[in-house]
Amino acid sequence: MYGLHQGVHHFNSFDGVQSLPLLLSKANVHTGMIGKKHVGPGSVYPFDFSYTEENNSVLQVGRNITRIKLLVRKFFQAHKEEVSKRNGNEGDGSKEEERPFFLYVAFHDTHRCGHSQPQYGAFCEKFGNGETGMGRIPDWTPEYYTPEQVKVPPFVPDTPAARADLAAQYTTVSRLDQGIGLVLRELRDAGYENDTLVIYSSDNGIPFPNGRTNLYHSGIAEPMLVSSPEQRQRWGDTSSAYVSLLDITPTILDWFSIPYPSYYLPGSAATQVHLTGRSLLPALVTEPSTWSTVFASQSLHEVTMFYPMRSVQQGAFHLLHNHQYRMPFPIDQDLYVSPCFQDLLNRTRLHQPTHWFKSLQQYYYRERWELYDTRSDPLETQNLVSDPSYSGMLDSLRQSLQKWQWETGDPWVCGPDYVLEDKLEPRCRPLFNGL
C-alpha cells in the first residue's frame, strides 16, 4: 500500500521505476487515465490522455459519471482519429492498424469526502443529486437507503450513526455502479467490447473502523473481477485463488505480450527489480491449485500515520507483524470526522456500549505478532501466537514473510529490534532495545 501522493504527504515512486503506463507507452500502447491518480512523479506514470485531480476537479473526473462517460468517449474518439490521420498521410495507399489501448478509469466513489467537501455529505452522496446547491449529474438516478435497510459488516459497530453512515455510502455505490455501466456502454459503442480485457478492483477495504489502512481481512479484502473475450471458459465463475493488486501489472503485460525489463534502481545495484505478482490470465481458463498465499504491506497512509505492518495469508492462517506495536494505531483524517468514528469515540469516552466487537483500546494497541485461523475466526479476534499448538504454523509463516521481505528489498525486514546493515553479516544486527 502506497502512502498518499497529494499535498503534504508527497509519497512518490523512485524516479527509475518502470511503471505499467511507462512500459505500455514504450510498447506503442495508447494510454489513458481518468479519475483519481494519487501516484507520482508524472515522469514515472505518464499517460497520453489524462484527466485527473492534477488538472481537473476530482469531483468532476471521479464522481460525475456523465463527465466520466464523455471523457471515455473522447478517449476512444482520439484513439480512432489517430489512425485516420496516419492513414491519411500515407502516400502509398497502405493502411495502418489501430495500436492497442489501455484506459484506466479510477472512480472516486466510494471514498469519504466529509473532511474535504462536507457540504456534499460524508461520502459526497449528495453531489449531483439535483437538490439545491448540489448540482445535477444527468446520467445518475440516485438510490437512497434507510439505516434499517443496510447490512452492517460484522467488523463495524452496529449503531444508528454507523448505519446512517453506511446508508450514505450505499448511495455512492449505486452511482459507481451506474458509472461502470456507462463506461462499458462506451466500450461497446466504440466497437471494442469483443477484444478488450476488462478488470475491476478497488484499492482498499471500506473506510470504517477495522477497514481501510488495516491489514486485517476487513481492510484488504477487495473485489477482483476479470473478463476476457479470449478466455470465455469460466465466464460467471468465482475463484478461491488468492490474488492481489500486485497481479494487475503482470496480467496486463501478459495480455499485450510485453516482457518485463531487466533493470536496477539507483543505489540498489545488487538487487534486480522484479515483479512479485503473477498474471491472472491462466486463472480464466482453469482454477489454480497452488495460489494459496498472498502478502500485504502498509507503512503509512497520511504522512503522520507511520505504522509499518506486514502480513502473509496462507490458506486459512493469517499472520500480521506490527512493527510499531507500542504506539497507538493511527487514525486518518477522513475517518476521524466520520459519523461512525465520532460516535465510537463519544460512546467510549462516556463509557456507553459501543456495539462493536472490540474496544477502542484494543484497536489502538495491538500485539507485535498476530496469528489467526480465519476459518474458525473470520473476525480475527483470537490471537494464536501464544498457543503452543500453533507454534509450527507461526514459525513457518514468519519465515515465509521474512523471505518475501528479503526478496522485495523491504527496509523493514529486520525491525523493530534489529537494524539492517547490508554490508555486514548477518545483515540484521541486534539493537538490544528490549523488544
Side-chain angles (χ1 to χ4, degrees):
M1 294 185 183
Y2 281 13
L4 295 179
H5 170 64
Q6 75 277 13
V8 69
H9 315 293
H10 200 57
F11 187 98
N12 280 284
S13 297
F14 289 115
D15 293 340
V17 167
Q18 299 288 300
S19 73
L20 177 62
L22 189 63
L23 294 175
L24 295 180
S25 294
K26 290 180 177 179
N28 198 35
V29 176
H30 187 200
T31 60
M33 166 82 201
I34 300 169
K36 186 187 74 168
K37 190 175 182 183
H38 272 27
V39 292
S43 58
V44 173
Y45 299 95
F47 288 89
D48 302 320
F49 179 98
S50 179
Y51 288 81
T52 72
E53 75 275 11
E54 295 179 354
N55 53 21
N56 282 264
S57 160
V58 73
L59 287 174
Q60 293 299 327
V61 297
R63 298 185 193 264
N64 184 340
I65 59 176
T66 297
R67 173 73 168 148
I68 294 169
K69 174 194 76 173
L70 295 175
L71 287 173
V72 171
R73 185 178 301 173
K74 184 176 181 178
F75 173 79
F76 288 139
Q77 288 172 344
H79 187 67
K80 291 174 181 291
E81 289 170 2
E82 176 189 75
V83 178
S84 298
K85 289 179 180 178
R86 285 207 307 266
N87 286 334
N89 292 331
E90 295 293 335
D92 58 2
S94 61
K95 297 292 183 180
E96 286 191 31
E97 293 184 356
E98 288 185 5
R99 59 174 174 153
F101 71 83
F102 167 75
L103 178 60
Y104 175 29
V105 182
F107 291 88
H108 206 222
D109 287 329
T110 56
H111 283 69
R112 292 187 178 275
C113 73
H115 65 300
S116 54
Q117 295 104 2
Q119 68 272 27
Y120 295 119
F123 284 92
C124 277
E125 70 277 4
K126 299 176 184 178
F127 173 68
N129 68 1
E131 295 178 0
T132 302
M134 297 295 107
R136 183 174 179 273
I137 300 174
D139 289 290
W140 181 35
T141 303
E143 297 182 19
Y144 301 103
Y145 305 85
T146 66
E148 294 74 28
Q149 286 178 300
V150 303
K151 183 178 180 181
V152 181
F155 58 88
V156 173
D158 193 348
T159 62
R163 283 180 169 272
D165 216 8
L166 285 164
Q169 189 186 41
Y170 274 28
T171 295
T172 62
V173 170
S174 73
R175 183 166 60 203
L176 169 67
D177 183 56
Q178 293 174 42
I180 293 169
L182 293 173
V183 170
L184 293 177
R185 187 182 305 163
E186 291 299 319
L187 181 72
R188 182 194 65 202
D189 292 348
Y192 298 122
E193 182 180 37
N194 294 320
D195 58 4
T196 301
L197 177 72
V198 177
I199 300 175
Y200 172 78
S201 190
S202 177
D203 53 354
N204 43 244
I206 63 173
F208 283 83
N210 223 71
R212 187 186 68 172
T213 75
N214 286 274
L215 293 191
Y216 297 123
H217 180 78
S218 48
I220 60 175
E222 302 157 0
M224 178 68 83
L225 286 76
V226 183
S227 177
S228 166
E230 295 184 1
Q231 291 97 357
R232 304 191 178 201
Q233 300 93 320
R234 302 194 66 195
W235 273 16
D237 282 3
T238 58
S239 173
S240 298
Y242 284 6
V243 301
S244 81
L245 298 182
L246 297 176
D247 299 322
I248 290 181
T249 291
T251 301
I252 295 172
L253 292 179
D254 187 15
W255 176 258
F256 288 119
S257 300
I258 299 173
Y260 193 71
S262 172
Y263 74 100
Y264 299 83
L265 289 174
S268 303
T271 305
Q272 181 176 323
V273 176
H274 68 282
L275 297 176
T276 56
R278 58 166 70 92
S279 172
L280 299 177
L281 296 186
L284 305 184
V285 180
T286 58
E287 175 69 6
S289 59
T290 58
W291 295 10
S292 58
T293 303
V294 67
F295 298 92
S297 69
Q298 164 88 326
S299 296
L300 57 87
H301 179 59
E302 295 169 359
V303 69
T304 57
M305 294 176 62
F306 180 72
Y307 196 88
M309 302 174 288
R310 303 294 184 264
S311 79
V312 55
Q313 174 106 23
Q314 190 172 84
F317 289 96
H318 190 194
L319 178 69
L320 300 94
H321 188 193
N322 302 308
H323 287 248
Q324 302 294 101
Y325 67 101
R326 289 192 175 181
M327 292 174 55
F329 185 79
I331 305 299
D332 51 311
Q333 292 175 323
D334 56 349
L335 176 63
Y336 179 80
V337 300
S338 70
C340 177
F341 192 75
Q342 283 297 306
D343 181 63
L344 178 59
L345 279 177
N346 290 331
R347 287 173 177 271
T348 300
R349 180 175 57 87
L350 298 173
H351 305 288
Q352 296 176 350
T354 62
H355 304 284
W356 198 27
F357 75 108
K358 63 175 65 171
S359 70
L360 200 53
Q361 184 77 4
Q362 290 171 321
Y363 186 64
Y364 285 147
Y365 294 98
R366 309 176 179 193
E367 299 294 328
R368 175 175 175 178
W369 293 94
E370 299 180 74
L371 175 64
Y372 301 105
D373 182 346
T374 59
R375 281 175 301 194
S376 59
D377 181 23
L379 276 180
E380 299 175 316
T381 60
Q382 302 297 319
N383 189 357
L384 304 173
V385 165
S386 60
D387 189 331
S389 61
Y390 292 93
S391 60
M393 178 58 67
L394 175 62
D395 290 342
S396 175
L397 291 178
R398 276 181 174 173
Q399 292 174 20
S400 179
L401 181 58
Q402 190 173 59
K403 181 174 181 289
W404 180 74
Q405 290 182 268
W406 283 119
E407 289 176 352
T408 56
D410 187 348
W412 282 272
V413 66
C414 298
D417 41 0
Y418 288 76
V419 66
L420 175 61
E421 292 287 354
D422 273 326
K423 296 182 179 180
L424 299 176
E425 285 296 339
R427 286 183 284 174
C428 289
R429 312 298 292 187
L431 290 171
F432 305 107
N433 56 15
L435 300 180

